């Protein structure tokens, strides 16, 4: 190709990017603010844009692609199932749901599974189950059930869930709000104990708050929550939709404290990045409160979802991914700790999951992410100047190092030519 031809191809590719972004912005509701990268292909820990540029994916679909994009075993399971049957509805039995529920329940150490599709649906389902359990098992007076949640939570975007969100952007103008929720500070055991009343049916928590910036509660908190919920005959619901399934170096983040919740909410990685699959996993004493017609979903428990979910469970059963996330997590942490004082003010991490607070005077998280993309690394900011790093667990050591090095490079650039004083005040 001549230099002129190369330039022309480049211009055409750039035009294609612009056209696709413009089309998306024109015809898709503006409920997200994406970085200006148009992905057309992905494999493992990397994605490729329409201009042929490769990036390391340090978000991994908010942990939906924990096992990497298009993991061969997961794609094979989906393809195999596509040749047989994909949807039956729960009006009939199918040959994947029973095995999926059995295998998932065993992985989590429980008896029963309620299959749903999205994470928010799993949370909604848990709210219903906890309330019904409260009325029928605990004996709470009708209509009085209360569920305790934590400040800074993220459990999804439905009307009930945003009713107990502290995020004003997610809440404002979507009322009237659902009653029955009490918010306490995250990590504060005394506040939680004080909030419990005879009408409390459940405590709903993320064992590590993901959207809040990978916030890890003080050591002993989850153990304390377990003890006080047990003492008060209250269910402990662990939302492990983002923290679960290998991300933190364990199958479940609760395991770090040896805590067993009454209900686990799983989603994201459970669908292997291929189809939405979520589940409530609990004992028969809890999920047994549901009877035909009381709850359901047309797509919940469909054979394609179950086949992919079974393949995900098989990957996790080996323990390989959990071990790898822990090992790579140590490398990630060491790399990020070296940036403390060089534009990074705080690092929190567990396994291959890190929240990184950037000096707000240097830049917003959004600005850092835009610059990282320029150096071939895709990451996502959250809350002003916090970044979240959560690459696929299949990422190679040198790729992980490359990502951390690019953050160092961006921070170096910013420190030599600060773009904005008072960056913290800018909207992210
Ligand atoms: C993503 C997420 C949800 C919601 O899942 P969706 O599939 O987006 O509905 C719920 N809880 C937590 C902790 C999450 O990270």
């Amino acid at each position: 190709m001549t230099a002129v031809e190369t330039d022309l191809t480049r211009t055409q590719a750039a035009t294609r990017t612009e056209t696709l972004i413009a089309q998306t912005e024109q015809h898709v509701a503006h409920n997200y603010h994406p970085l200006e990268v148009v992905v057309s292909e992905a494999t493992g820990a990397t994605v490729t844009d329409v201009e042929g540029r490769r990036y390391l994916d340090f978000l991994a679909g908010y942990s939906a692609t924990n096992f990497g994009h298009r993991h061969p075993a997961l794609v094979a399971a989906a393809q195999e199932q596509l040749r047989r049957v994909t949807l039956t509805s729960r009006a009939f039995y199918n040959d994947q749901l029973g095995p999926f529920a059995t295998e998932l329940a065993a992985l989590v150490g429980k008896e029963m599974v309620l299959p749903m599709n999205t994470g928010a649906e799993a949370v909604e389902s848990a709210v219903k189950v906890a309330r019904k359990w409260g009325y029928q098992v605990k004996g709470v007076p009708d209509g009085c059930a209360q569920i305790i949640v934590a400040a800074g939570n993220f459990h999804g975007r439905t009307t009930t869930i945003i009713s107990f969100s502290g995020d004003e952007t997610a809440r404002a103008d979507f009322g009237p709000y659902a009653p029955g929720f009490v918010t306490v500070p995250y990590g504060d055991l005394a506040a939680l104990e004080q909030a419990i009343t005879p009408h409390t049916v459940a405590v709903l928590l993320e064992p590590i708050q993901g959207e809040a910036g990978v916030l890890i509660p003080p050591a002993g908190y989850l153990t304390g929550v377990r003890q006080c919920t047990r003492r008060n005959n209250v269910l402990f619901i662990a939302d492990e939709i983002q923290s679960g399934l290998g991300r933190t170096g364990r199958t479940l983040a609760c395991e770090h404290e040896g805590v067993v919740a009454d209900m686990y909410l799983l989603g994201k990685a459970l669908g292997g990045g291929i189809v939405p699959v979520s589940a409530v996993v609990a004992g028969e004493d809890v999920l047994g409160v549901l009877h035909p017609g009381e709850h359901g979903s047309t797509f919940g428990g469909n054979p394609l979802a179950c086949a992919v979910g079974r393949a995900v469970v098989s990957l996790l059963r080996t323990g390989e991914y959990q071990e790898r996330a822990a090992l790579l997590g140590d490398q990630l942490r060491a790399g990020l700790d070296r940036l403390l004082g060089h534009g990074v003010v705080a690092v929190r991490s567990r396994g291959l999951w890190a929240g990184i607070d950037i000096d707000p005077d240097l830049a917003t998280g959004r600005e850092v992410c835009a610059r990282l993309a320029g150096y071939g690394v895709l990451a996502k900011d959250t809350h002003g100047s916090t970044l979240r790093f959560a690459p696929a667990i299949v990422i190679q050591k040198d790729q992980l190092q490359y990502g951390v090095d690019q953050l160092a490079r961006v921070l170096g650039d910013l420190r030599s030519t600060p773009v904005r004083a008072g960056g913290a005040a800018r909207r992210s």
Side-chain angles (χ1 to χ4, degrees), residues 117-161:
N117 310 284
T118 65
E121 282 178 303
V123 176
E124 289 275 347
S125 305
V127 166
K128 286 177 68 177
V129 169
R131 285 176 174 172
K132 184 132 199 257
W133 175 89
Y135 300 129
Q136 299 217 327
V137 180
K138 182 166 176 170
V140 171
D142 191 33
C144 294
Q146 284 187 337
I147 295 175
I148 299 176
V149 299
N153 70 70
F154 181 87
H155 297 290
R157 304 295 203 174
T158 62
T159 48
T160 294
I161 295 171

Side-chain angles (χ1 to χ4, degrees), residues 238-249:
D239 181 346
E240 295 249 16
I241 290 166
Q242 197 167 155
S243 59
L245 307 181
R247 174 54 59 193
T248 68

Side-chain angles (χ1 to χ4, degrees), residues 335-336 338-347 356-365 367-369 371-372 375 385 387 389 403-419:
L336 292 174
R338 277 195 286 275
L339 302 181
L340 283 167
H342 302 275
V344 169
V345 294
V347 176
I356 307 148
D357 296 341
I358 304 293
D359 176 356
D361 287 336
L362 212 53
T364 61
E367 171 80 35
V368 173
C369 287
R371 286 170 178 247
L372 275 174
Y375 291 150
S385 292
L387 300 189
F389 274 7
V404 175
D405 289 347
Q406 300 324 296
L407 177 58
R409 193 172 159 200
V410 167
L411 295 173
D413 293 350
L414 284 165
R415 279 153 59 87
S416 56
T417 50
V419 279

Side-chain angles (χ1 to χ4, degrees), residues 22-41:
Q23 191 182 43
T24 306
E25 291 305 323
Q26 192 176 352
H27 296 290
V28 177
H30 297 162
N31 57 332
Y32 280 89
H33 181 28
L35 283 179
E36 297 198 342
V37 173
V38 182
V39 175
S40 57
E41 282 177 46

Side-chain angles (χ1 to χ4, degrees), residues 288-353:
V289 300
L290 288 181
H291 298 108
E294 292 170 356
H295 191 59
S297 159
T298 304
F299 276 80
N302 74 76
L304 179 60
C306 291
V308 172
R310 290 182 71 186
V312 166
V313 171
S314 298
L315 292 183
L316 286 166
R317 240 181 347 229
T318 66
E320 234 173 84
Y321 291 86
Q322 295 89 322
E323 201 177 309
R324 190 175 170 78
L327 219 72
L328 290 172
D330 290 342
Q331 184 195 334
L332 175 63
R333 182 56 187 255
L336 292 174
D337 278 348
R338 277 195 286 275
L339 302 181
L340 283 167
H342 302 275
V344 169
V345 294
V347 176
R348 298 167 296 277
S349 75
R350 181 128 309 159
L352 200 47
W353 199 21

